[in-house]
Structure formats: structure tokens, C-alpha cells
Amino acid sequence: MWRISKSWLRGLGLEFWLPLPLVAVVFWLGCSFLAAQQLSQSYSTKTKLQSDTHLEARISVNVLLINAAVNRTKRITQVEVETADPILKRLELELPTIEFNQIEATIAQQLGLPRQDVRKLVRYEFVE
């Protein structure tokens, strides 16, 4: 009495919709299996990342003023460099020397400027 005929299933379109959940479950299980297989494999890289390398950046800036505060008791020099760059307005350095020649040479090396330009721009202040 409750027999479902093929013509009635075709009329409702259920002949297509009834097996669809089964197809979706099979597809989901297959994709899960393939993803698990891919993720469990180990991959070797040809180039290795080295984290112990030291990267040094050189920035070309227009230096306006160099203030060097020489502390004779601590034997260090605090250097402040003011620039015209809108992003990098001020640089601060601490040098372990109070010798003028070494201070100027180190500043010239750090800023990439000629030593004569550093000599013209630097202003010394002695603090205790």
C-alpha cells in the first residue's frame, strides 16, 4: 500500500535528491583522508633560514646638528643627532670614548658621512 513508485519519485525530483547526502558524506571523507595524508608528509627545504646573521641597515639622512655630551667621570659620550627627515628626527648613540678624534670617526662611520662634515656639525658639551 505504501509502495513508492519510480514515476512518483521522478515527479517530485527525489530520485536526484535522495542520494545527494550520501555523495556529500563520501566526498567529505575522501577529502579529509587526502588532507590528512598531505599534512602528515614531511617536506625538506633547499635553503635554510639563518637567524644568527647580523643585518646592518644604512640610512641616508640630512643631518642638521650633532650634540655630543662628554662625561669624563664615566668616560662615555652621549651623542644626539638631529635630522631633517620627517620619519627619523633624532638618533642617539652612546660611545665608550671621550677622545675627540675617536668620537668624530665613530659618528662619521655610523652616519656614513665624511669626517670633515661631522667636525663642522658636532657641538661638544662637558658634563660631570
Side-chain angles (χ1 to χ4, degrees):
M1 183 174 200
W2 293 99
R3 283 176 60 191
I4 301 174
S5 67
K6 283 187 172 187
S7 63
W8 186 72
L9 286 176
R10 277 190 201 131
L12 293 175
L14 294 178
E15 194 173 67
F16 171 75
W17 293 107
L18 283 178
L20 194 59
L22 180 64
V23 171
V25 168
V26 170
F27 183 75
W28 177 70
L29 288 173
C31 288
S32 297
F33 176 74
L34 289 176
Q37 290 296 321
Q38 282 295 76
L39 292 175
S40 67
Q41 290 181 0
S42 64
Y43 294 97
S44 62
T45 58
K46 294 181 180 164
T47 57
K48 305 225 185 284
L49 179 64
Q50 293 182 349
S51 62
D52 59 347
T53 59
H54 179 69
L55 181 63
E56 187 172 319
R58 291 283 177 188
I59 301 171
S60 176
V61 293
N62 188 10
V63 177
L64 298 175
L65 179 66
I66 302 172
N67 290 324
V70 179
N71 190 331
R72 290 182 182 165
T73 57
K74 293 183 180 178
R75 303 199 53 83
I76 61 170
T77 303
Q78 297 281 341
V79 180
E80 290 183 3
V81 181
E82 295 180 18
T83 68
D85 191 82
I87 296 172
L88 184 64
K89 295 223 178 248
R90 185 168 40 147
L91 295 168
E92 294 180 1
L93 304 169
E94 185 175 309
L95 307 177
T97 183
I98 59 171
E99 301 284 331
F100 295 139
N101 289 332
Q102 290 179 351
I103 293 169
E104 291 170 0
T106 305
I107 294 171
Q109 180 184 11
Q110 291 291 324
L111 299 178
L113 294 173
R115 199 164 171 186
Q116 297 82 9
D117 292 349
V118 171
R119 191 171 288 135
K120 291 175 189 174
L121 293 169
V122 71
R123 294 183 185 169
Y124 292 101
E125 175 186 357
F126 297 98
V127 294
E128 296 300 324

